Amino acid sequence: AKAAISAYAWFFRGLPVLVLLFLFYFGIFPAMGLDLPAFFVGAVVLGLRGAAYQSQIFRGAIQSIGESQMTAGRAIGLSRWKTIWYVILPQALRLVIPAWSNEPISLLKTTAVVFLIAVQDLMAKAKRAATDTYDPISSYIAVAVVYLVMVFILNEFIKFLERKSRIPGFEMESKKP
């Protein structure tokens, strides 16, 4: 199982998202006899790719918790799984927020390429508007503004999560010159 998970993460992290989209939309799914809508294929590919990245982010956070935490949990009578659930994961989840916060923003921006497999997203609409009006700059500036607003809102939500999960007394102190 460990080798399969590593291979999965290696595959989806190793290929550009555009290659993955084309590979699944034009290759793997049709070869399996599946005629799936472009939106579904885009969602599956972006979901699998995002999960591969997030698995490594969470793995690193869990591994950063010292072995002494497992020993302490076991010493007070918790089972291995209860120690993971009640001791390790709460600490890891607090540690993972800053690194994980990049992933939803990255995923949001990556959705711009799904128009290349005929998904009608913002970029597809902008391209159509640019073609209809002969004014590509205005169309693409509008898309840029929409993405910036969405990223700003998502970023503010993530900052809120960071503040809510912060443990008093464990803030990073800035070095003063």
Side-chain angles (χ1 to χ4, degrees):
K2 198 172 187 177
I5 292 169
S6 293
Y8 158 75
W10 172 79
F11 180 78
F12 280 95
R13 291 173 63 222
L15 292 175
V17 70
L18 186 58
V19 172
L20 288 168
L21 284 168
F22 282 18
L23 187 63
F24 278 81
Y25 187 68
F26 297 114
I28 293 173
F29 287 143
M32 295 169 60
L34 300 172
D35 183 24
L36 300 172
F39 179 83
F40 180 78
V41 174
V44 166
V45 168
L46 293 180
L48 290 171
R49 181 181 175 272
Y53 275 95
Q54 291 177 45
S55 71
Q56 299 308 300
I57 293 169
F58 281 93
R59 181 186 59 78
I62 290 169
Q63 287 179 338
S64 73
I65 306 299
E67 184 64 33
S68 61
Q69 297 296 308
M70 178 61 80
T71 304
R74 302 290 285 144
I76 63 169
L78 295 175
S79 70
R80 177 173 163 74
W81 291 109
K82 282 189 176 182
T83 301
I84 291 169
W85 186 256
Y86 292 111
V87 178
I88 309 278
L89 283 180
Q91 293 177 70
L93 291 175
R94 282 188 171 101
L95 291 173
V96 82
I97 290 174
W100 175 79
S101 66
N102 291 321
E103 189 56 29
I105 292 168
S106 176
L107 179 61
L108 174 65
K109 294 186 292 183
T110 303
T111 61
V113 300
V114 297
F115 90 96
L116 294 170
I117 59 168
V119 174
Q120 294 298 310
D121 74 324
L122 283 174
M123 284 302 292
K125 300 289 185 187
K127 186 176 181 185
R128 171 176 255 152
T131 303
D132 292 345
T133 63
Y134 302 104
D135 185 15
I137 294 298
S138 296
S139 299
Y140 296 130
I141 287 175
V143 169
V145 168
V146 170
Y147 272 107
L148 286 171
V149 168
M150 289 191 300
V151 167
F152 175 78
I153 291 168
L154 188 55
N155 198 37
E156 290 302 309
F157 176 70
I158 290 166
K159 284 180 187 176
F160 170 78
L161 284 178
E162 286 180 7
R163 283 192 305 274
K164 284 299 201 182
S165 67
R166 189 170 291 135
I167 300 171
F170 284 98
E171 293 86 12
M172 297 295 285
E173 293 183 25
S174 61
K175 294 182 181 180
K176 296 179 182 170

